[in-house]
Amino acid sequence: MIHKSIQDVLNTQINLEQYSAQLYLAMSAHCETKSFRGFAHWLRMQAQEETAHAMKLVAFVLDRGGRLELKSIDAPPTEFGSITQVFEKILEHEQRITTSINALFERSRQEKDYASEITLQWYVTEQVEEEANVGQILDQLRAVGEKGGGIWYLDSKMGKRGKS
Ligand code: OFO
């Protein structure tokens, strides 16, 4: 049986992952309206990944005999500025998620909840990967700028996510 305090923070994390999915979907739509269909595709795939992150935690809470308490999901913004600004916002968002995952991991340790700790290890590793990927995209965006053809090359590269 899962400790009530861990169950509560896991339920909060599920809500955060669902919000991440909403945020990426809104960002995808924003890019699509600017005709950056590659970035839009990448972000839509990211939204699906975030839903999968939430579902993995849902399964874990239920497998431990816990209670799933879904909360309402905040509405994301609809305007995100330039493509570079979109990715700056993503990096900030993922850094907040990392802080939240690390706090959850720490809490599991304090409670000696080894099963939660092991499950959360996957999320700790995933956050390293996500921050690195987004940081790299941001570096590339800053290098090519948004005025020349470079950004359209990046857009076509982003459109290949999950296709090879
Ligand atoms: Fe974007 O990361 Fe979920 O956990």
Side-chain angles (χ1 to χ4, degrees), residues 13 17 24 46 50 53 94 97 101 123 126-127 130:
Q13 188 64 35
E17 301 291 344
Y24 286 126
Q46 192 59 33
E50 297 299 346
H53 293 172
E94 288 302 338
I97 298 290
I101 294 284
Y123 288 84
E126 178 71 8
Q127 284 311 116
E130 289 204 350

Side-chain angles (χ1 to χ4, degrees), residues 5-164:
S5 74
I6 302 283
Q7 174 188 290
D8 290 347
V9 281
L10 285 171
N11 275 312
T12 301
Q13 188 64 35
I14 288 166
N15 183 263
L16 271 177
E17 301 291 344
Q18 289 180 309
Y19 175 73
S20 300
Q22 295 272 84
L23 178 68
Y24 286 126
L25 192 54
M27 286 172 163
S28 170
H30 172 81
C31 293
E32 186 114 15
T33 59
K34 289 174 175 283
S35 295
F36 287 113
R37 303 194 83 175
F39 285 102
H41 166 79
W42 191 95
L43 286 159
R44 205 176 291 202
M45 286 202 71
Q46 192 59 33
Q48 286 168 5
E49 260 200 19
E50 297 299 346
T51 299
H53 293 172
M55 293 310 143
K56 211 172 152 90
L57 290 177
V58 165
F60 179 71
V61 168
L62 295 174
D63 282 351
R64 300 280 311 280
R67 187 182 165 91
L68 179 68
E69 284 165 6
L70 294 174
K71 305 167 203 304
S72 44
I73 307 165
D74 289 342
T78 50
E79 182 52 54
F80 299 95
S82 69
I83 301 295
T84 307
Q85 285 169 330
V86 169
F87 278 83
E88 283 168 351
K89 289 181 173 91
I90 293 175
L91 189 55
E92 277 168 28
H93 176 74
E94 288 302 338
Q95 285 166 342
R96 276 200 296 276
I97 298 290
T98 299
T99 303
S100 165
I101 294 284
N102 289 347
L104 238 172
F105 188 88
E106 185 60 35
R107 188 70 164 270
S108 309
R109 263 206 176 159
Q110 284 163 357
E111 298 288 348
K112 296 194 181 354
D113 183 341
Y114 305 117
S116 293
E117 193 177 313
I118 288 166
T119 294
L120 288 164
Q121 256 176 29
W122 182 88
Y123 288 84
V124 171
T125 308
E126 178 71 8
Q127 284 311 116
V128 172
E129 195 187 300
E130 289 204 350
E131 283 192 35
N133 286 343
V134 174
Q136 196 181 37
I137 295 165
L138 204 44
D139 284 345
Q140 290 171 351
L141 278 165
R142 285 176 179 149
V144 301
E146 300 206 14
K147 294 227 155 54
I151 193 159
W152 294 104
Y153 170 71
L154 279 184
D155 186 62
S156 71
K157 250 179 72 181
M158 297 291 277
K160 294 195 172 75
R161 181 176 181 179
K163 291 180 181 166
S164 54

